[in-house]
Amino acid sequence: MQVSMRRQGAEGPEIWLRGPVTDRVEPALWPEPARDEPAHLAVGPRRFAWVATHGGAGTTTLAAVFGGHDAGRNWPRPDLGEPGSVLLVGRTHAAGLDAVSHTLETFRRGEAPPGLDLEAVVLVADAPGRLPRPLAQRVKVIDSMIDVYQVPWIPAWRVGDLASAPPRETAALARLTGATRLP
């Protein structure tokens, strides 16, 4: 049985421990930190591969705006130095959502190449405005399986203007990818 219990240490304030109730805390559970280890590790931004689930999904534009590797419709090759963290990309029209669902099923069945980690799905708007109800319902189903990031219709991107900062609706995606130009 797990119980939260309070312990008062002679050296400091009271703390709460969660776990099995015992008479004492084993010191071996919390070994002394080595004196020659660095206080913290330097970690760079995470690298992602944008993988299109169908032609015209938008991986090239997303890689240009948010950074990362544009894998197109190919699986990334971590053995060749390409990122193993995958962001699946599809448009929000019916065929695009079908392609995303099919690729998710490939991962679910374990048929994706080894060494790849599916991080999220990125859905790029296929037209301005709200999604029709049947498409919005399909997005909800996908979102129930994996994190979904939606990119709105951006007229400037349509004509190739990728210089401005992404819209604020993409802030969560920018944080995920470590993009330097946050909305």
Side-chain angles (χ1 to χ4, degrees), residues 13-182:
E14 72 180 31
I15 60 172
W16 289 83
L17 298 177
R18 176 170 281 225
V21 177
T22 61
D23 290 347
R24 63 187 184 93
V25 175
E26 294 293 326
L29 295 177
W30 295 291
E32 284 291 316
R35 301 281 183 228
D36 58 346
E37 290 182 13
H40 50 78
L41 299 173
V43 178
R46 190 141 181 224
R47 294 185 52 221
F48 291 95
W50 302 91
V51 176
T53 58
H54 58 87
T59 58
T60 301
T61 299
L62 292 170
V65 173
F66 295 100
H69 174 73
D70 176 10
R73 294 193 63 196
N74 300 313
W75 293 115
R77 305 258 327 257
D79 57 325
L80 298 178
E82 296 174 355
S85 294
V86 172
L87 295 171
L88 290 181
V89 181
R91 293 284 179 169
T92 56
H93 50 60
L97 295 175
D98 283 345
V100 168
S101 296
H102 175 75
T103 308
L104 284 173
E105 185 64 17
T106 300
F107 265 96
R108 189 192 68 77
R109 289 191 313 257
E111 295 172 0
L116 298 182
D117 295 317
L118 178 57
E119 298 297 327
V121 167
V122 179
L123 297 176
V124 181
D126 65 310
R130 294 175 50 143
L131 283 176
R133 178 179 228 98
L135 297 178
Q137 290 172 334
R138 292 178 67 186
V139 170
K140 285 177 83 170
V141 170
I142 294 169
D143 192 35
S144 72
M145 293 183 270
I146 189 164
D147 290 337
V148 172
Y149 295 85
Q150 293 193 51
V151 177
W153 180 261
I154 304 170
W157 289 5
R158 189 173 192 205
V159 296
D161 177 11
L162 307 179
S164 60
R168 63 180 163 75
E169 294 92 345
T170 63
L173 181 59
R175 282 190 300 277
L176 173 71
T177 61
T180 57
R181 296 183 301 166
L182 293 177

